[in-house]
Amino acid sequence: MNREQAGRLLQQHGAVMVLALLVLAGSLAFDSFATPENAASVVVSSSFLAIIAIGMTFVIIGGGIDLSVGSLFVLGGVLAAYGSRHGPLAALALPLAVCGTVGLLQGLVIARTGMAPFIVTLAGLLGVRGLMLAISDEGATTYLVEDRAFAALGQGELLGLSYPVYVTAGLALAAMVLLQRTGFGQNVYAVGGNEQAAALMGVPVARTKVLVYVLSALLAGLAGALNAARLSSGVTILGIGLELDAIAAVVIGGTLLTGGAGGVTGTVAGVLLLGVIQSLINQVGSLTSAFQQVVSGAFLALVVVAQRLLSKAQRLDTGGPP
Amino acid sequence: MDPVLEAKGISKRFPGVLALDGVSLALHPGEVHALVGENGAGKSTLIKVFTGVYAPDGGELSFQGRPAAFGTPLEAQRAGISTIYQEVNLVPMMSVARNLLLGREPRGRLGVIDAAVMNGEAERILAGYGVETDVRRPLRTLGVGAQQMVALARAVSVDARVVIMDEPTSSLEPREVATLFEVIRRLRAAGIAVMYVSHRLDELYQVCDRVTVLRDGRVAHTGPLAGLERLTLISLMLGRELDEVRSRGLTSFTRRRAGAGTPEPGTERAPEPRMERAAEPGTERVAEPGMERVNGQAPVVEARGLTRRHVLRGVDVTVRPGEVVGLGGLLGAGRTETAKAIVGALPLDGGRVLVAGLPLRGGSTAAAIRAGVSLLPEDRKAEGIVPTLSVRENIALAALPALARAGVVSEARIDRVVEIFMRRLRIKAASPHQLVSELSGGNQQKVLLARWLAVRPKALLLDEPTRGIDVGAKAEVQALIDELAAEGLGVLLISSDLEELVEGADRILVLRDGAVAGELSGDEVTEEKIMATIAEQPPEQEQPPERGRPGEPSRQGARPQVGERSHE
């Protein structure tokens, strides 16, 4: 194996390798780490972030960024709880419809006007948060999930894992196929890799961009709805800043922030990595959970530097065009 | 036979410019049609009209006998008009196979892409183009030539009726060019019309049937290429009298070889103001007529044993003041890398660089610029111009530290320097404040030259300075290189154009596989000698490939190995 291949391997699967190492180290260091209960707790608590991060993976590979997903997650939860008064179908359909529409609008603005995704989705973040506050009387009203069937979607368990974990796993698999094995997935890579070339190669650039933002918003809304089902209420304070965690997980997973390269496997590993770091810090009794943010941040910085070095090494290795 | 693609009186107007003025052109099935003209003649605009990038303001386009209006490049492509652009337009981080088959990937069960079938198909297609590589590798890990072949394969393999090639050979090795021509002949035999845009006249005569010359947005000539004298063609492109072209020669290098000392006075060119550098403090490196330029002077650049794994193997380069040293060799021989290594833009495993006798700190282009060595990079889009800045800002960029007092830059001084260089280099821009991205390729190149000249270098490394620019601008740049050397500048000239190398350089270093294979000077500086030096001792496993006949994909083992760069 030459350096180029090694570099690519590290780029694509580095997060999985580090995850494996951390889990191994944690198991050796702490008796209470490698227990089924702890594993289940990490996996369950990671699943909501994972759903959001999967959508974010598409956006970032496509060369964009979506800052609105944290707000959409909260809005999705509030709407799901609100809708659950009219049955489980409404509890799912309402957040998906509203969040999907927000994503569609953001996507259309980004694709048609060429405005920067950062600004458009920042506007989305603020606007959606405002919408959520309006619905919940500035957070004073908390809607409770009254529909049993819907609550079961978030709370039911199978083999010791709650349903959202299976939903997440299913979504991750579907996302992998979508990204790697469909024309849409190829288009996402092409648009993020070289938008101009993609257009000349016949890729429907605008449609692809719109679709990734719709997908991202739908997944954020779904994650919010599942979270509401799990907590039996549309909580209005959780989820602030979740978009940054999602971006961190995606980048840690090896997806290039500049677009064009990355994958769902890495993202899932990135999310789990953040969860495992948190869990490990909890194991070390003397450290508060605030420390988790410090470690995650440091780790993110490390990954970005490593990616930079890797891509530099690869570029130099191949010499570039003579 | 009826034309497959026909333009009738096409006009296209941009703010302030009539880019196309009633252009009519018919492209017939099975013909290779050359489209030539200087930059600004309207070639690119015409291509963009054909390919649906621009809608014409007037006139009519017909495709396969029916009026056609393509709203987007995609529509044109779907209709059967494929285009290969000058800069490779693929997605660098996607795999070769995915690039090749994007949009029409083979599907397996459930409609998902079958990666194995896709990769197999990609390998099969590329084999016909002499590209043999692991198609799962990201495209960017291939050489430029191989990338271009992938682009070509992609363009041709979508049922094209018309293939438009815009400067397809600008980054190909001769061997790859031969493969390209084979493909073109195959297309012709299959009744596909090829529009071939190139600045390389040799190629036109080798492969094209007819030619259309555009000048200032109008058709200056159209007709069969055979029998059209080369000088006539050039004069048609330039719009100059034949005699004038004859007197200037094909390239615009006028100096005599090393040892000839003085620059030849009074060429046929209109006298231009010599560099009015004396007006600028510190710019007074005035040409001394009769100065012994080459012999006996201390080298301005002396590179010893430049080494980098896989890339350079102990390259020595010496450039003396007033000397033009050519760097010859095939694509991938290490020419660009040598230049980059000298200015510190390529990390080295070994070797050192002395500028005017003083060692240069490695790894810092800023140090190299301060010491007086600048590089004009090959890829002016990616490594040269700053497209969002004006001509003025682009020129002043590198010189800002020199133009500043206590960190404060004098606008007036900048204006003066910019004005001098715009005049001296005949940069055609509406004003110094025009965006550099709006200029033609030739003028962009001159802006870059101006940028480096403004820092008053002792030596200038020029990597393909005339690549992809039109004949007129090329001549001007070549003449400039002469003038600059005559004024005492040391020049390292990299060019794939042998003619340019031979006529421009006093001395030529021929590189092969990252090492100096030979040095030619005096009478040895000929195209034949360069090729012979390159050809000496062909590296192992690189037997000259037997080519299959046109229409027949080359067979296993007889394939030219394009694309792979040596890694181990």
Side-chain angles (χ1 to χ4, degrees):
Chain A
M1 181 160 62
N2 61 28
R3 263 174 66 193
E4 179 206 324
Q5 285 168 326
R8 238 189 304 157
L9 204 68
L10 200 58
Q11 170 102 51
Q12 285 166 359
H13 303 295
V16 180
M17 296 178 204
V18 174
L19 179 63
L21 280 178
L22 263 189
V23 169
L24 188 70
S27 315
L28 294 175
F30 306 104
D31 291 337
S32 53
F33 179 75
T35 59
E37 294 75 31
N38 193 42
S41 128
V42 168
V43 173
V44 171
S45 63
S46 296
S47 55
F48 302 97
L49 178 59
I51 294 176
I52 296 175
I54 288 168
M56 186 70 80
T57 308
F58 280 80
V59 176
I60 292 180
I61 291 176
I65 196 90
D66 189 351
L67 298 180
S68 68
V69 289
S71 294
L72 285 169
F73 172 81
V74 181
L75 179 69
V78 172
L79 288 175
Y82 183 82
S84 70
R85 292 187 286 188
H86 304 284
L89 206 63
L92 273 177
L94 187 62
L96 289 183
V98 174
C99 292
T101 308
V102 172
L104 179 69
L105 288 176
Q106 293 187 142
L108 283 173
V109 172
I110 289 165
R112 299 277 174 220
T113 69
M115 278 171 67
F118 185 91
I119 296 302
V120 174
T121 58
L122 181 62
L125 179 158
L126 298 171
V128 168
R129 187 185 291 171
L131 190 63
M132 181 273 293
L133 289 174
I135 294 171
S136 63
D137 302 325
E138 308 212 354
T141 309
T142 302
Y143 299 102
L144 297 178
V145 172
E146 285 157 12
D147 185 87
R148 282 279 174 72
F150 181 62
L153 191 62
Q155 296 164 6
E157 287 197 2
L158 182 69
L159 303 173
L161 292 173
S162 59
Y163 288 164
V165 175
Y166 296 100
V167 174
T168 307
L171 285 173
L173 278 176
M176 273 178 225
V177 173
L178 189 62
L179 201 51
Q180 297 298 331
R181 294 296 174 86
T182 67
F184 168 67
Q186 297 309 295
N187 291 347
V188 173
Y189 280 107
V191 168
N194 184 346
E195 186 175 330
Q196 202 192 348
L200 290 172
M201 288 162 90
V203 171
V205 173
R207 196 174 73 206
T208 305
K209 283 189 179 176
V210 172
L211 283 176
V212 294
Y213 287 99
V214 171
L215 185 67
S216 171
L218 283 176
L219 288 174
L222 177 66
L226 289 177
N227 194 42
R230 184 174 71 133
L231 302 176
S232 291
S233 69
V235 180
T236 55
I237 46 168
L238 291 179
I240 306 294
L242 205 54
E243 62 278 350
L244 301 181
D245 289 340
I247 294 169
V250 170
V251 173
I252 287 174
T255 295
L256 291 183
L257 206 46
T258 45
V264 174
T265 325
T267 296
V268 171
V271 171
L272 288 175
L273 206 48
L274 291 178
V276 167
I277 289 174
Q278 182 170 26
S279 169
L280 281 173
I281 284 169
N282 291 341
Q283 300 283 333
V284 184
S286 56
L287 296 175
T288 67
S289 67
F291 234 88
Q292 184 237 333
Q293 307 256 358
V294 177
V295 175
S296 300
F299 194 75
L300 178 64
L302 199 73
V303 168
V304 173
V305 170
Q307 275 190 351
R308 179 107 191 112
L309 292 177
L310 272 178
S311 95
K312 212 169 164 183
Q314 281 180 42
R315 214 180 0 255
L316 288 178
D317 219 27
T318 53
Chain B
M1 210 184 301
D2 291 332
V4 55
L5 181 63
E6 190 173 12
K8 294 172 200 152
I10 295 281
S11 295
K12 178 72 191 172
R13 181 181 294 280
F14 294 110
V17 197
L18 188 57
L20 293 177
D21 185 5
V23 169
S24 296
L25 190 156
L27 201 55
H28 295 273
E31 80 165 344
V32 182
H33 196 122
L35 181 65
V36 297
E38 287 202 55
N39 278 346
K43 282 176 308 185
S44 315
T45 311
L46 184 59
I47 293 174
K48 285 178 176 166
V49 168
F50 280 146
T51 53
V53 178
Y54 296 149
D57 296 329
E60 196 182 295
L61 202 62
S62 77
F63 180 62
Q64 294 186 316
R66 284 186 296 275
F70 305 117
T72 63
L74 187 53
E75 275 180 41
Q77 212 177 77
R78 293 240 162 98
I81 300 178
S82 279
T83 315
I84 300 154
Y85 296 90
Q86 191 173 345
E87 270 93 20
V88 178
N89 255 300
L90 296 172
V91 185
M93 277 179 294
M94 290 176 83
S95 78
V96 174
R98 287 179 192 270
N99 265 293
L100 186 61
L101 296 169
L102 183 68
R104 48 200 183 83
E105 300 91 347
R107 303 301 166 103
R109 280 180 303 148
L110 304 171
V112 300
I113 295 167
D114 188 327
V117 172
M118 178 172 71
N119 291 336
E121 195 172 325
E123 266 169 30
R124 211 187 53 247
I125 294 174
L126 287 178
Y129 294 84
V131 178
E132 206 177 79
T133 182
D134 180 357
V135 296
R136 291 167 302 177
R137 289 172 60 175
L139 182 87
R140 63 173 183 163
T141 61
L142 263 59
V144 177
Q147 292 189 22
Q148 191 108 31
M149 282 298 172
V150 176
L152 175 66
R154 179 183 165 83
V156 173
S157 56
V158 295
D159 281 327
R161 301 310 307 157
V162 174
V163 176
I164 298 173
M165 300 185 181
D166 189 2
E167 292 281 336
T169 57
S170 56
S171 48
L172 299 190
E173 283 182 46
R175 202 170 50 179
E176 294 168 322
V177 171
T179 309
L180 175 73
F181 287 177
E182 227 176 79
V183 173
I184 290 177
R185 292 190 186 108
R186 239 188 283 163
L187 296 176
R188 175 164 56 190
I192 293 168
V194 176
M195 175 162 280
Y196 192 90
V197 183
S198 178
H199 298 125
R200 300 187 179 172
L201 299 184
D202 284 337
E203 295 175 3
L204 302 184
Y205 280 96
Q206 270 183 59
V207 81
C208 296
D209 306 311
R210 280 154 53 80
V211 63
T212 293
V213 182
L214 285 184
R215 192 171 68 228
D216 301 331
R218 296 197 190 87
V219 174
H221 173 84
T222 188
L225 191 58
L228 183 66
E229 201 196 337
R230 201 176 270 231
L231 279 171
T232 315
L233 181 59
I234 291 176
S235 72
L236 282 166
M237 290 162 68
L238 295 177
R240 299 201 179 122
E241 290 306 311
L242 200 54
D243 291 341
E244 190 192 346
V245 177
R246 262 190 228 286
S247 69
R248 286 180 54 180
L250 282 180
T251 65
S252 292
F253 290 111
T254 51
R255 275 173 338 120
R256 291 193 299 266
R257 288 274 144 64
T262 46
E264 216 167 319
T267 56
E268 306 305 316
R269 311 163 48 76
E272 287 291 331
R274 277 270 159 186
M275 190 77 99
E276 292 160 46
R277 286 175 165 187
E280 198 51 35
T283 49
E284 53 282 293
R285 200 194 50 235
V286 181
E288 288 175 33
M291 177 175 71
E292 187 66 34
R293 293 203 329 272
V294 176
N295 296 328
Q297 290 208 39
V300 58
V301 174
E302 194 174 4
R304 288 282 160 263
L306 301 176
T307 302
R308 180 176 161 76
R309 210 164 71 93
H310 302 328
V311 181
L312 296 176
R313 296 185 288 133
V315 174
D316 295 338
V317 180
T318 305
V319 183
R320 295 190 164 78
E323 184 185 32
V324 179
V325 176
L327 266 191
L330 296 176
L331 203 69
R335 294 169 304 176
T336 294
E337 289 77 1
T338 300
K340 283 192 169 171
I342 292 174
V343 296
L346 183 80
L348 287 176
D349 299 328
R352 63 204 174 93
V353 179
L354 301 174
V355 176
L358 299 171
L360 196 61
R361 185 162 61 88
S364 164
T365 48
I369 292 169
R370 271 198 303 277
V373 183
S374 303
L375 168 68
L376 186 74
E378 172 185 28
D379 187 348
R380 64 175 170 267
K381 255 193 187 161
E383 301 177 18
I385 62 163
V386 184
T388 52
L389 295 185
S390 68
V391 172
R392 175 180 184 272
E393 289 161 318
N394 265 286
I395 292 177
L397 211 52
L400 286 179
L403 294 174
R405 286 232 172 83
V408 180
V409 178
S410 153
E411 296 293 317
R413 278 158 63 104
I414 294 183
D415 283 337
R416 213 154 55 231
V417 169
V418 168
E419 203 242 301
I420 288 171
F421 283 107
M422 283 186 68
R423 189 143 43 92
R424 157 102 204 241
L425 304 193
R426 296 174 283 271
I427 294 169
K428 289 190 198 96
S431 86
H433 302 286
Q434 192 178 7
L435 280 184
V436 76
S437 52
E438 294 170 1
L439 302 190
S440 66
N443 279 305
Q444 288 182 3
Q445 191 70 302
K446 289 194 223 164
V447 167
L448 284 179
L449 261 173
R451 177 193 293 171
W452 294 121
L453 293 176
V455 299
R456 307 185 302 272
K458 297 188 182 80
L460 203 51
L461 318 182
L462 306 172
D463 193 354
E464 300 284 1
T466 65
R467 175 174 145 187
I469 66 179
D470 66 85
V471 174
K474 190 168 171 169
E476 287 183 336
V477 170
Q478 289 169 339
L480 256 169
I481 296 171
D482 269 357
E483 283 177 37
L484 294 168
E487 289 167 24
L489 190 73
V491 176
L492 185 72
L493 175 67
I494 299 177
S495 179
S496 300
D497 183 344
L498 286 184
E499 198 177 13
E500 176 171 291
L501 211 53
V502 166
E503 297 199 10
D506 302 308
R507 196 154 60 78
I508 292 178
L509 295 174
V510 179
L511 295 184
R512 191 176 58 222
D513 293 336
V516 177
E519 182 177 336
L520 308 173
S521 57
D523 292 341
E524 297 171 331
V525 179
T526 64
E527 296 186 22
E528 295 73 27
K529 197 80 184 147
I530 295 174
M531 289 188 283
T533 311
I534 293 170
E536 275 169 22
Q537 260 190 337
E540 289 134 56
Q541 297 158 353
E542 290 222 316
Q543 305 301 328
E546 295 169 32
R547 298 198 171 276
R549 284 186 299 280
E552 207 179 84
S554 29
R555 279 178 307 277
Q556 183 80 26
R559 259 175 235 164
Q561 302 267 331
V562 186
E564 294 281 355
R565 311 174 141 276
S566 60
H567 278 284
E568 299 307 323

